Amino acid sequence: MSGTHTDVPSVPSVLAHELPRPVPADEFATCPVSDVFRRVGDKWSMLLVILLGGRPHRYNELHRSIEGISQRMLTRTLRTLEADGLVRREVHPTVPPSVEYSLTPLGGTLLEPLSTLADWAVRHEAEINEARSRLPPI
Amino acid sequence: MSGTHTDVPSVPSVLAHELPRPVPADEFATCPVSDVFRRVGDKWSMLLVILLGGRPHRYNELHRSIEGISQRMLTRTLRTLEADGLVRREVHPTVPPSVEYSLTPLGGTLLEPLSTLADWAVRHEAEINEARSRLPPI
DNA sequence: CCGTATCCCCAGAGATACTG
DNA sequence: CAGTATCTCTGGGGATACGG
């Protein structure tokens, strides 16, 4: 394996496990886990992955599908996903030009862990909202 | 069910599914899924959940365990997690005072989807780095 | 149709100092 | 020990206009 990373063991082991040393901020910054976590948290990336998981889309199709995204952020996010090998960009030299975006096989494998997390969110939405209503706002 | 949310269907259905209408930005903002996704992406929350998933910790213990976190962000993050019902804060009125933080049962259920995602990150780290090295930097 | 190029704003996050 | 209180800065992200 290459770099060190913050240990996120599978559930049984996480309960029996203790991190031995302080988690260094620098390692965490380049840790593949926190790297992916940050991407999951950014505003548009996972929404695009989900949309493209349904079927390939053209640029303006994505722009219309996601209300509120700017062209700047749509392009930037797609390029980042492409650079990470999650999204494929195909230019068809027609007139007018058409560009199709789709998930790569790697991108496709992300759908499953993503829906696991999304399932959790939906299943526990009520509990979270209840907790929020109990404690006074921060 | 309460609010609408961006559909993140389980894997088989995501491939057969198409979002019918533009995803409204406002709905997405209050969507439980994107809500959790944002928390996953924030800098310290999930690291704290993972640490507390191992065992309960006291405040300064967490502060020492996570190199680079400021007192301000440690407190703020813990309070947010507490407000969401993921973390429990117990004050023991000793001298000097001691405060223990632990995962709630709800917080514990988050460990599994979290490690699913972390597993994905570790497993595909090499592919991502390879993709990044192929494409010229953005 | 598919983007770049600029400018601008503000919330997330760090540094530092102080307190019950 | 376990926090507040300020100040500050950075970069994520929006608006707008223009270009191949």
Side-chain angles (χ1 to χ4, degrees), chain B residues 32-47:
Chain B
V33 172
S34 67
D35 198 49
V36 168
F37 280 17
R38 254 182 275 123
R39 179 125 325 154
V40 168
D42 93 15
K43 200 168 180 182
W44 306 111
S45 288
M46 293 306 107
L47 184 50

Side-chain angles (χ1 to χ4, degrees), chain B residues 14-56:
Chain B
V14 81
L15 297 170
H17 183 77
E18 178 185 346
L19 294 179
R21 293 276 151 204
V23 178
D26 303 6
E27 282 184 27
F28 187 65
T30 59
C31 162
V33 172
S34 67
D35 198 49
V36 168
F37 280 17
R38 254 182 275 123
R39 179 125 325 154
V40 168
D42 93 15
K43 200 168 180 182
W44 306 111
S45 288
M46 293 306 107
L47 184 50
L48 283 172
V49 167
I50 290 162
L51 277 172
L52 296 179
R55 58 170 180 82

Side-chain angles (χ1 to χ4, degrees), chain B residues 19-97:
Chain B
L19 294 179
R21 293 276 151 204
V23 178
D26 303 6
E27 282 184 27
F28 187 65
T30 59
C31 162
V33 172
S34 67
D35 198 49
V36 168
F37 280 17
R38 254 182 275 123
R39 179 125 325 154
V40 168
D42 93 15
K43 200 168 180 182
W44 306 111
S45 288
M46 293 306 107
L47 184 50
L48 283 172
V49 167
I50 290 162
L51 277 172
L52 296 179
R55 58 170 180 82
H57 284 70
R58 296 180 54 175
Y59 181 86
N60 275 338
E61 201 176 3
L62 290 170
H63 197 203
R64 281 189 300 272
S65 293
I66 306 178
E67 194 168 302
I69 195 172
S70 61
Q71 283 190 324
R72 172 187 144 90
M73 287 315 296
L74 178 54
T75 303
R76 248 181 61 82
T77 307
L78 286 168
R79 291 290 146 84
T80 306
L81 292 170
E82 189 193 3
D84 285 354
L86 300 174
V87 159
R88 180 158 168 231
R89 177 177 184 267
E90 274 177 295
V91 182
H92 301 107
T94 59
V95 221

